[in-house]
Amino acid sequence: MRARTKWLAGALIGAAGLLTLSPALAAPPAASPEARTSAAFDAALKDRAALRLFLRAMPKGGDLHNHLSGTPYAEDFLAWADADGLCVTTDVQPALASGPCDAPGRKPARGLSKADPGLYARAVNSLSMLNYNPGADGAQASGHDQFFSTFGRFGAVTENNLPAMLAVVREYAAGDRVGYVETSVNPSAVYDLVSKVRGEAWDGDLAKAFAALEPGIPALTAKVRDQMDAAEAEADRRQGCHAQKPRMGACAVVLGYQAFAVRVQAPQVVFAQLTAAFALADADPRFVGVNIVAPEDNPTALADYRLHMRMLAFLHARYPKVKLSLHAGELTLGLVPPRELRFHVREAVEVAGAARIGHGVDIAYEDDARDLLGRMARDKVAVEINLTSNDVILGVKGADHPLHLYRKAGVPVVLSTDDEGVSRIDLTNEYLRAATEQGLTYRDLKAIARDSLEYAFVPGRSLRGAPECAKAGKACEAFLGANPKASLQWKLERDFEAFEATH
């Protein structure tokens, strides 16, 4: 061996003895898989189709801001309406409705795509943002109004199709390289508790209101558990998951649920929904958090905003382990008076105790915004960024969007879909917009994908800094088995290794 080494050295020096090895002449070190993948991303930036191809194959971790009823596409709803024997109204903005379908102004959903293709096409437009054109054909005055009005138009079909919606959200996530989805869902049993308070007077006494609701909580949580067990089993049957060991594709997508309250209702109803949401998140590990939804600029939502934050704080004190991801700051100048832009994100963080903020678009209008950004960075309060949703609903995009403001302040950010079926997008589209409109690099997007699991409300410890998994082995296997969050993160890292190996 020594003789061979001496021979090789002599050959490199050369017969004349004039050449010597130096760092300048040595072969450059091979680029890392991440560096090669980053270079491929940079090259794809010049070709939007190539960038889409690249990003669709990229592992994305989790989608943390997702509404279950807003995930199916209009075509899904129409197919379920067909199967359920529902009707489609013949209005300018068609809606799904229960029967009878031979009444004036209604047609059967069954076979509609062939029986009346024009009405079918109008229904797809009405149930989503497809072909939305403000002011044309009697359309709503704004993207904001069209977006939110779709939920009322397809609501009739969501009531009996919870298993189908669970299956669809997993199907779409798997096709988009998303391993975890945190989706907002209220099983119908939630409204049993709410029905007890409708029409009652509201005196603002939170403790008294909670005491009145508390006896109904055990029955509520038991009924919801049964509903979700049945819905998940049916979703598994539809997707053939029972026969898969290990589960693959859509069956391998992990779902976490956020129960929620609808902020545009009377105070006693909102409080009852929040009470139910906290109780579920405390009792059923599938419900990983609590949220509050509906247009933040609605007059009732604005008038009761501070009350809602106090409700959340009251219940958070009673259920301290429950995590909150709150829609806050989904506002912009002109949509509401300036006074309404000054405190929503802060109160969600400081009063309610939100661990994550949904949207947070109005952060630059908040009082003492730099101080608030500093607190969010220090306390790791992540922000769920929904680029398409913010564009469609608020008209905020490009340089007007506060994504970079959050990132420069050190606030964790994740990319999410919001309502991908209504917007007719997927998470790849949001990564593409982040790259082309916000200038994020491959390494930026990779960090965001990792953060989507770091700040997900998945139970268990994080893989970050876990000494048990400094190297693969039995100790790491045991750690991953005991910590679902770390297990998802481990899989994401293996997926990144495989993805980067292709470049």
Side-chain angles (χ1 to χ4, degrees):
M1 183 67 181
R2 288 182 179 178
R4 183 180 179 186
T5 302
K6 291 175 67 177
W7 175 86
L8 180 60
L12 289 170
I13 292 171
L18 297 177
L19 298 178
T20 59
L21 285 174
S22 71
L25 294 176
S32 69
E34 183 182 65
R36 293 196 301 270
T37 306
S38 181
F41 171 87
D42 291 342
L45 282 171
K46 304 170 185 176
D47 181 341
R48 197 175 181 91
L51 183 61
R52 166 82 196 185
L53 190 67
F54 176 100
L55 290 172
R56 187 168 188 269
M58 177 183 169
K60 300 175 190 69
D63 182 357
L64 304 188
H65 191 117
N66 175 286
H67 297 271
L68 185 63
S69 65
T71 296
Y73 271 56
E75 292 87 343
D76 297 317
F77 287 129
L78 286 161
W80 301 335
D82 182 315
D84 293 346
L86 297 180
C87 320
V88 177
T89 68
T90 58
D91 303 326
V92 172
Q93 295 276 47
L96 304 178
S98 56
C101 296
D102 57 356
R106 296 187 177 194
K107 286 191 175 183
R110 186 158 294 154
L112 185 66
S113 61
K114 294 181 179 179
D116 193 337
L119 178 58
Y120 183 90
R122 282 180 26 233
V124 172
N125 292 343
S126 178
L127 302 177
S128 71
M129 298 302 296
L130 182 64
N131 295 322
Y132 176 69
N133 183 5
D137 298 325
Q140 298 280 350
S142 68
H144 169 285
D145 293 346
Q146 169 68 9
F147 187 99
F148 286 114
S149 65
T150 62
F151 293 88
R153 296 188 194 122
F154 56 63
V157 79
T158 63
E159 297 175 7
N160 298 315
N161 282 287
L162 178 57
M165 290 193 292
L166 295 178
V168 159
V169 74
R170 295 194 308 200
E171 173 196 344
Y172 291 168
D176 212 18
R177 300 299 307 278
V178 177
Y180 173 75
V181 181
E182 210 161 283
T183 188
S184 297
V185 55
N186 272 359
S188 61
V190 168
Y191 301 101
D192 293 345
L193 193 66
V194 174
S195 65
K196 298 178 181 180
V197 302
R198 288 193 186 278
E200 291 187 0
W202 174 256
D203 64 6
D205 189 331
L206 299 180
K208 185 175 77 173
F210 180 78
L213 294 166
E214 193 171 17
I217 288 175
L220 161 75
T221 55
K223 191 171 181 179
V224 168
R225 185 177 291 110
D226 290 344
Q227 284 187 340
M228 295 309 298
D229 286 346
E232 291 179 338
E234 173 60 17
D236 283 351
R237 186 195 68 78
R238 290 175 180 232
Q239 295 180 304
C241 301
H242 296 299
Q244 294 185 15
K245 293 184 179 179
R247 291 165 72 105
M248 300 175 293
C251 299
V253 174
V254 177
L255 298 182
Y257 307 129
Q258 291 182 12
F260 60 88
V262 181
R263 68 198 329 159
V264 299
Q265 301 183 87
Q268 64 271 26
V269 174
V270 174
F271 186 74
Q273 288 182 337
L274 287 175
T275 298
F278 273 89
L280 288 175
D282 187 66
D284 189 331
R286 291 172 295 192
F287 284 86
V288 297
V290 169
N291 213 322
I292 188 165
V293 305
E296 195 174 340
D297 60 289
N298 175 275
T300 298
L302 291 175
D304 291 349
Y305 189 87
R306 284 193 161 102
L307 171 61
H308 295 159
M309 296 304 107
R310 293 199 303 274
M311 290 177 177
L312 287 158
F314 174 90
L315 291 165
H316 205 187
R318 280 152 179 76
Y319 297 100
K321 294 181 181 179
V322 172
K323 297 179 179 178
L324 307 182
S325 173
L326 301 180
H327 286 66
E330 191 182 4
L331 304 168
T332 191
L333 187 64
L335 182 64
V336 294
R339 71 177 71 89
E340 300 293 351
L341 300 171
R342 297 172 58 182
F343 63 93
H344 282 211
V345 176
R346 181 178 291 280
E347 290 225 349
V349 173
E350 296 184 352
V351 177
R356 295 201 315 257
I357 293 294
H359 297 287
V361 177
D362 75 357
I363 185 67
Y365 301 96
E366 291 266 340
D367 288 339
D368 300 319
R370 295 194 183 279
D371 173 75
L372 177 57
L373 287 165
R375 173 169 180 159
M376 293 173 70
R378 183 178 66 253
D379 295 345
K380 301 301 181 185
V381 178
V383 180
E384 303 149 2
I385 300 292
N386 309 289
L387 293 172
T388 295
S389 174
N390 297 157
D391 180 7
V392 169
I393 296 174
L394 305 175
V396 176
K397 61 181 179 179
D400 291 330
H401 199 281
L403 171 60
H404 284 290
L405 183 63
Y406 282 118
R407 295 187 76 237
K408 288 178 181 178
V411 178
V413 300
V414 297
L415 293 170
S416 306
T417 56
D418 199 3
D419 298 277
E420 61 183 298
V422 174
S423 295
R424 301 185 74 83
I425 58 163
D426 55 14
L427 192 54
T428 293
N429 184 77
E430 303 308 277
Y431 274 63
L432 191 148
R433 291 189 73 149
T436 58
E437 298 174 12
Q438 301 293 328
L440 268 59
T441 67
Y442 171 69
R443 289 183 172 89
D444 293 333
L445 296 177
K446 184 177 180 181
I448 283 173
R450 285 170 163 165
D451 279 348
S452 71
L453 296 182
E454 179 68 18
Y455 297 100
F457 294 160
V458 183
R461 289 172 54 194
S462 170
L463 186 64
R464 290 185 182 178
E468 297 89 340
C469 287
K471 61 179 180 179
K474 291 184 177 180
C476 183
E477 290 175 6
F479 177 80
L480 297 178
N483 293 280
K485 179 190 285 281
S487 181
L488 284 171
Q489 291 173 312
W490 181 271
K491 182 180 183 303
L492 178 63
E493 294 307 313
R494 304 293 78 76
D495 289 345
F496 268 122
E497 287 178 5
F499 174 65
E500 292 177 350
T502 65
H503 298 92

